[in-house]
Amino acid sequence: MRSQTFVAGIFEHPTRKADGATVAQLHAEVALGALADAGLTLSDVDGYFCGADAPGLGVATMAEYIGLDRLRYVDGTESGGSSYLLHVNHAARAIAEGKCDVALITMADTPLASKGGLMLSGVDRSKLPALPYSVAVPALPMYGYGMVARRHMHEFGTTPEQLAWVKVAASQHAQYNPNAKLQNVVTVEEVLASPMVADPLHRLDCCVVTDGGGALVLVREEIARTLSRPLVRLAGAGEAVKHSSGGTYEFTSSAGVRSGADAFAEAGITPMDIHYASLYDSFTITVIVQLEDLGFCARGQGGVFASNGNLVSGVGRLAVNTDGGGLCNNHPGNKGGIPKLVEAVRQSRGEAHPDVQVPNHEFTLAHATGAMMSSYHVAGTTIFQAV
Amino acid sequence: MSNRKPARHPAPTHVAHDEPFWAATARGELVIKHCLPCDRSFWYPRPHCPLCGSFDTEWRAASGRGTVYSFSVVANAPRPTAVAVIELAEGPRMTTVVVDSDLADLRIDDSVIVCFESAEDDSMVPVFTTESAQHARSYAAAVLANCEERAAVHEAIAAPITKVTVIGAGSMGTGIAKSFLSNDFAVHLVDADQAALERALSDIQEYLSRLTSKREGWHGPTLTTSIDIDTAAGSQLVVEAVWEDLALKQEIFAKLEAVVSPSCILATNTSTLDINALAASTTHPGRVVGMHFFSPAHVMPLLEIVEGAEIRPETLATAVAVARSIGKTPVIVGVCPGFAANRMMIARNKEAEHLLLEGALPQQVDRVSRAMGLPMGPFEMLDMAGGIEVNVHRRRATGEEDWLVDALFERGRLGQKTGRGYYRYKPGERSPIPDQEVTDLILEASLREGIERRSIPDQEVRERLERVLAMEGKALLDEGIVARSGDLDVIWRQGFGWADWSGGPMYRATLQGWES
């Protein structure tokens, strides 16, 4: 069945350090920002989606604070950075089934202003079932992704230079984004010269930590056609989970293999039809693995694909993260899903910065990997179509 | 750091079903869950099998052996730590850590074995170490035991010691006095400077009161002090620890000989002077011996017993026995500049300085040195011990030139005590912070030497430091200064804290095939 869900509004909070603001306040600001972009109001919203970054009881607390009083469909799915791509998928099903007409997705958090560190807020680690057997293990994500990078290098000959190209491409784009946390262009040499933090990952292989957030408004087609924004249809979506499977796992591919296949099948297109992709870039290696998982290149060729300049808009075959991505622009609350969706929609609308806008393309893709690729994670893929 | 005890891990939450797991780790065994219907082992433990859903599972002993599936090295960890996924010999892969191993050499597929460390609730937590680290540890334990066995032989002809006099109330003399006092030797401390004596006295008394509160029923032996060297009369052992000046030491030994009995042993803590020249100036050269302590003297376990040309066997035996009875590891060395430990360290430091001129920075050399298994690198150590000033004074005597060290000295960069040396230090803190002024001086030094700087890979830095240590160690063996190659590894372990997982400089040389 052809998806009837359209993206009506998007908003990325311009802050990167929200001193003095509450998390609830940021949720409201991004909600109202996306509704204004769509040309809708609070009273139009009847579906609401948020993750564990929302304080208190999530959907209930936020509905009350923001002022959403017509809700008939809510979803508090939390899957780390990919939560909001799952929300898009879930909202599309709800809209298709007539359970809601205007779906609002919000995300906001303040790890810097509230000194929350690198952990996800609202997620209780103390009862994790594996925890008693891993008390000696530093739990920071960079070590998990460092292991993924090392294994990828071992199996496919991927090099630190190839990983660095992902950051180089992101920095090429970030120079045009006045809100990006890091706007300086960097070279492969500079990435390799930055301090080693989780060997083989250098500091510049890691994303930024920022405060902020963003929101999307999804509506059914009839409503979208009454609004004055460019029409962007959700053409396909997929989600999948992969984990350690009792210790039988390998981690040179992710759940993106399955979430991507589902999304492409639903959209009825292939990776060759995509010329812009927002790919989750918690670390440079994350992008390399996802390029392979989604079929943009062969297994093991992600490093070569990146180092051939393919990720740079106007240069390569697949522009990636033209906002500067999590590596340079924004990774609010240690969850980069919302900026991924927002930039893909900007690209579909033709509203990306002129220096990085991909010309004449019909489809864009956004993809995220939530939690940790080396233990368990949830992938979400969405494909948008400019109509 | 190298020989430091690991911090205790956070306490794991215990649940009813995994009681056998913790009972096994307490015995030093790893057990894993096995599913009977699907005949597969899985990780981590849980009552049901995540591979087929059956509750028909049992605990089985695991070999504790495995191979590295992948790993990521934790930067700036207090001891070598890599987060790793280990594939157990029994099949399942587990996320864990590899610790106390040579991580610069760690590779995927390397063999590892389980070991257990305590958590805050005394549970034993499984972690892994490499087989090569385990081999190095066995070696380190064996050479230490061998060194101590050979030392024990001397006890048969050692003279009894009841009164020890320490001459010199500086930091070394104070530390030496503490070593004796904490091991129940009465100490008489002599220094011509009353103020120095009072400073030492209050420092030692504070130290003893800490010990008294820790040791039940222990009151500590007698400590007396004097500004009059004649009060050394009646001692069986005098340890001299005054400023490094041969004439001064000769004068002190002459004064001592006038008051002590002919059997009293005269020991010197000199680290640079010729003990044969000092002995020759006495009337009984056979009773002169070097007892070279390492700073801080009451902490570091190494004691170099320096055997002069005319030493009597009883003197040597007594010095060795005394060293053992104050808890030190005595290593007998011959007379040469720097003896064994410092001679190797000076050679290593020279190479380190040359690496700076060629393109390295202090922070790289020090980082690589820590990765080799040392608690600190050469430049951190020089800053801590005031090595820049020592270097300048030493070269005033020899006329040797060193523009970089002079430049640091002239700018008041004397190390931690002035807050600036090869690094800068925040007031009251000891962690080194790289300093642009030092980098600029190093660049200028390279320019003055006409050396074109290049980026030096970590591996080359390590190999050059290890090679120079191996070469100096080989020279010490060839010259007969030290009896056995293993003794040099004991020296670096007990004197400078070289980590057991890396064996020692001579062990490393053997691994590299540099024996000749």
Side-chain angles (χ1 to χ4, degrees):
Chain A
M1 190 178 76
R2 191 174 180 279
S3 158
Q4 301 176 325
T5 300
F6 280 66
V7 182
I10 52 172
F11 187 77
E12 181 185 9
H13 204 292
T15 189
R16 299 294 180 265
K17 192 165 189 296
D19 285 327
T22 68
V23 172
Q25 182 187 344
L26 295 180
H27 271 273
E29 286 173 12
V30 298
L32 293 165
L35 287 167
D37 179 54
L40 293 166
T41 66
L42 287 177
S43 59
D44 294 314
V45 177
D46 61 352
Y48 177 60
F49 300 73
C50 64
D53 46 270
L57 285 175
V59 289
T61 306
M62 282 297 95
E64 189 233 19
Y65 179 81
I66 297 172
L68 304 168
D69 54 9
R70 288 187 54 246
L71 297 181
R72 56 193 183 106
Y73 195 92
V74 295
D75 181 338
T77 297
E78 172 59 48
S79 65
S82 63
S83 302
Y84 319 96
L85 286 88
L86 272 61
H87 293 162
V88 168
N89 189 22
H90 300 175
R93 312 305 134 189
I95 289 170
E97 288 191 23
K99 296 294 184 189
C100 63
D101 297 315
V102 175
L104 169 69
I105 304 167
T106 67
M107 183 274 147
D109 207 355
T110 57
L112 295 179
S114 63
K115 300 188 171 30
L118 297 175
M119 291 301 169
L120 299 183
S121 59
V123 178
D124 176 11
R125 286 178 42 81
S126 69
K127 293 192 175 85
L128 292 180
L131 189 60
Y133 316 104
S134 53
V135 291
V137 184
L140 294 180
M142 61 187 180
Y143 303 123
Y145 282 90
M147 291 197 291
V148 173
R150 170 106 45 201
R151 189 70 200 181
H152 204 274
M153 291 171 170
H154 176 77
E155 289 193 13
F156 306 117
T158 305
T159 64
E161 289 78 10
Q162 290 171 344
L163 294 185
W165 266 98
V166 177
K167 168 74 177 185
V168 169
S171 77
Q172 285 288 338
H173 299 149
Q175 64 180 310
Y176 303 108
N177 181 351
N179 291 329
K181 177 153 178 175
L182 305 175
Q183 293 169 29
N184 58 313
V185 172
V186 300
T187 64
V188 168
E189 291 70 29
E190 285 168 324
V191 176
L192 299 184
S194 66
M196 197 68 95
V197 293
D199 194 358
L201 297 179
H202 302 82
R203 179 172 294 157
L204 294 188
D205 284 302
C206 306
C207 65
V208 297
V209 177
T210 51
D211 294 346
L216 267 80
V217 178
L218 302 180
V219 299
R220 67 173 63 256
E221 182 166 3
E222 302 88 292
I223 297 170
R225 291 191 181 279
T226 68
L227 303 170
S228 56
R229 304 298 281 128
L231 289 172
V232 176
R233 188 176 76 95
L234 177 71
E239 59 191 62
V241 179
K242 186 178 172 185
H243 51 70
S244 70
S245 297
T248 61
Y249 63 141
E250 46 75 34
F251 50 55
T252 49
S253 71
S254 76
V257 171
R258 291 189 291 124
S259 69
D262 278 3
F264 279 115
E266 188 175 21
I269 63 166
T270 73
M272 290 308 292
D273 299 311
I274 304 274
H275 300 284
Y276 172 80
S278 291
L279 298 182
Y280 206 74
D281 52 351
S282 47
F283 302 92
T284 51
I285 183 62
T286 322
V287 172
I288 300 290
V289 173
Q290 292 167 148
L291 283 168
E292 298 169 11
D293 291 342
L294 295 169
F296 290 114
C297 61
R299 174 69 53 208
Q301 294 300 302
V304 175
F305 188 86
S307 64
N308 285 344
N310 274 312
L311 313 185
V312 182
S313 185
V315 176
R317 116 108 193 88
L318 178 76
V320 168
N321 300 344
T322 43
D323 61 336
L327 289 168
C328 297
N329 171 30
N330 197 9
H331 194 244
N334 303 308
K335 293 158 93 179
I338 279 281
K340 293 286 164 283
L341 290 162
V342 167
E343 183 67 3
V345 173
R346 286 193 197 113
Q347 279 284 355
S348 287
R349 287 176 170 181
E351 291 180 353
H353 189 281
D355 285 300
V356 294
Q357 174 68 47
V358 176
N360 309 320
H361 61 155
E362 185 178 357
F363 294 99
T364 64
L365 176 144
H367 177 83
T369 305
M372 199 143 85
M373 218 180 257
S374 62
S375 52
Y376 48 69
H377 60 274
V378 186
T381 313
T382 60
I383 295 172
F384 299 110
Q385 180 183 23
V387 177
Chain B
M1 282 187 203
S2 57
N3 291 322
R4 187 188 287 178
K5 271 192 184 163
R8 279 146 67 90
H9 299 289
T13 307
H14 293 258
V15 289
H17 80 79
D18 67 3
E19 192 276 327
F21 180 83
W22 300 109
T25 62
R27 297 191 304 270
E29 290 169 25
L30 180 68
V31 292
I32 56 175
K33 271 304 201 59
H34 188 84
C35 174
L36 294 167
C38 76
D39 195 27
R40 282 182 288 188
S41 297
F42 58 88
W43 181 260
Y44 48 90
R46 64 206 91 170
H48 77 285
C49 170
L51 300 168
C52 76
S54 170
F55 280 94
D56 197 2
T57 60
E58 65 176 23
W59 293 97
R60 284 196 181 171
S63 61
R65 294 185 175 275
T67 53
V68 176
Y69 174 76
S70 195
F71 66 99
S72 176
V73 179
V74 178
N76 305 318
R79 61 175 175 151
T81 306
V83 176
V85 169
I86 299 301
E87 184 169 307
L88 294 171
E90 290 74 19
R93 291 175 182 156
M94 61 187 281
T95 301
T96 179
V97 285
V98 173
V99 295
D100 294 337
S101 301
D102 192 343
L103 297 180
D105 262 358
L106 188 63
R107 300 286 179 269
I108 283 175
D109 294 335
D110 276 0
S111 296
V112 292
I113 48 178
V114 75
C115 47
F116 298 90
E117 294 177 348
S118 56
E120 281 161 4
D121 65 348
D122 294 325
S123 299
M124 297 306 285
V125 170
V127 298
F128 284 77
T129 190
T130 61
E131 280 195 352
S132 51
Q134 197 68 351
H135 189 267
R137 269 189 286 272
S138 307
Y139 165 86
V143 291
L144 181 61
N146 174 276
C147 194
E148 283 175 350
E149 269 166 38
R150 285 184 289 131
V153 170
H154 289 277
E155 280 172 6
I157 56 162
I161 302 290
T162 53
K163 183 182 173 188
V164 179
T165 294
V166 176
I167 312 276
S171 68
M172 281 311 286
T174 305
I176 292 167
K178 287 177 187 172
S179 289
F180 280 102
L181 289 163
S182 67
N183 288 284
D184 295 311
F185 283 88
V187 170
H188 182 58
L189 181 61
V190 175
D191 197 303
D193 178 356
Q194 181 68 39
L197 212 47
E198 276 162 20
R199 274 196 304 274
L201 191 61
S202 88
D203 179 1
I204 294 170
Q205 276 165 346
E206 193 193 314
Y207 169 76
L208 288 179
S209 72
R210 271 204 313 272
L211 280 190
T212 310
S213 64
K214 268 193 276 182
R215 299 178 181 176
E216 212 171 314
W218 189 77
H219 300 294
T222 322
L223 168 65
T224 52
T225 60
S226 175
I227 53 166
D228 178 8
I229 197 164
D230 289 352
T231 56
S235 304
Q236 290 86 40
L237 171 66
V238 180
V239 184
E240 164 281 309
V242 302
W243 181 246
E244 293 285 81
D245 176 344
L246 184 61
L248 174 63
K249 286 177 196 269
Q250 285 172 334
E251 183 194 327
I252 284 170
F253 274 31
K255 283 184 181 167
L256 286 168
E257 283 199 298
V259 295
V260 298
S261 76
S263 63
C264 176
I265 291 173
L266 301 183
T268 173
N269 179 53
T270 183
S271 53
T272 53
L273 301 177
D274 181 352
I275 287 180
N276 287 333
L278 181 55
S281 73
T282 66
T283 46
H284 298 287
R287 63 162 152 185
V288 174
V289 66
M291 291 182 79
H292 183 210
F293 288 77
F294 287 75
S295 182
H298 59 296
V299 176
M300 297 313 289
L302 178 65
L303 190 47
E304 280 183 319
I305 306 295
V306 189
E307 184 181 17
E310 294 183 63
I311 194 168
R312 286 188 306 143
E314 294 79 5
T315 305
L316 183 67
T318 306
V320 168
V322 164
R324 283 169 56 77
S325 60
I326 59 171
K328 303 292 185 194
T329 303
V331 178
I332 299 170
V333 300
V335 176
C336 70
F339 314 125
N342 284 346
R343 187 166 140 184
M344 284 175 84
M345 194 171 66
I346 288 164
R348 190 274 313 259
N349 289 356
K350 261 192 176 160
E351 186 71 359
E353 281 176 36
H354 211 266
L355 283 162
L356 295 189
L357 296 180
E358 288 178 46
L361 290 174
Q363 48 270 36
Q364 184 194 10
V365 177
D366 286 344
R367 176 169 48 73
V368 172
S369 297
R370 285 192 303 271
M372 281 163 62
L374 284 163
M376 63 177 83
F379 300 108
E380 295 163 309
M381 193 166 177
L382 287 165
D383 271 2
M384 192 188 74
I388 289 169
E389 199 173 5
V390 172
N391 183 313
V392 170
H393 285 305
R394 180 173 56 77
R395 285 183 296 104
R396 275 193 191 144
T398 62
E400 193 187 336
E401 288 185 7
D402 190 328
W403 183 85
L404 177 61
V405 175
D406 286 341
L408 292 167
F409 183 78
E410 283 158 15
R411 283 161 181 76
R413 305 196 71 108
L414 306 187
Q416 275 187 24
K417 67 173 175 182
T418 59
R420 300 176 319 137
Y422 283 100
Y423 298 93
R424 63 187 174 84
Y425 300 84
K426 288 185 184 156
E429 289 183 25
R430 296 172 146 225
S431 50
I433 304 163
D435 193 340
Q436 189 59 44
E437 184 182 57
V438 176
T439 306
D440 292 343
L441 288 173
I442 292 169
L443 297 183
E444 189 178 341
S446 301
L447 207 63
R448 284 168 175 271
E449 292 287 327
I451 298 172
E452 192 182 332
R453 293 178 65 80
R454 65 190 171 95
S455 137
I456 305 177
D458 285 0
Q459 205 181 341
E460 182 184 335
V461 170
R462 178 170 181 172
E463 190 178 314
R464 283 178 54 181
L465 296 176
E466 288 188 342
R467 193 180 280 276
V468 79
L469 283 170
M471 282 166 56
E472 204 62 40
K474 176 76 166 41
L476 286 164
L477 292 167
D478 289 347
E479 293 166 28
I481 304 293
V482 172
R484 299 195 185 192
S485 160
D487 289 354
L488 294 170
D489 289 329
V490 170
I491 281 173
W492 277 81
R493 179 189 200 270
Q494 304 295 74
F496 305 122
W498 192 296
D500 286 351
W501 53 258
S502 153
M506 303 314 284
Y507 177 81
R508 289 289 304 169
T510 310
L511 278 192
Q512 312 272 11
W514 293 338
E515 273 158 288
S516 57

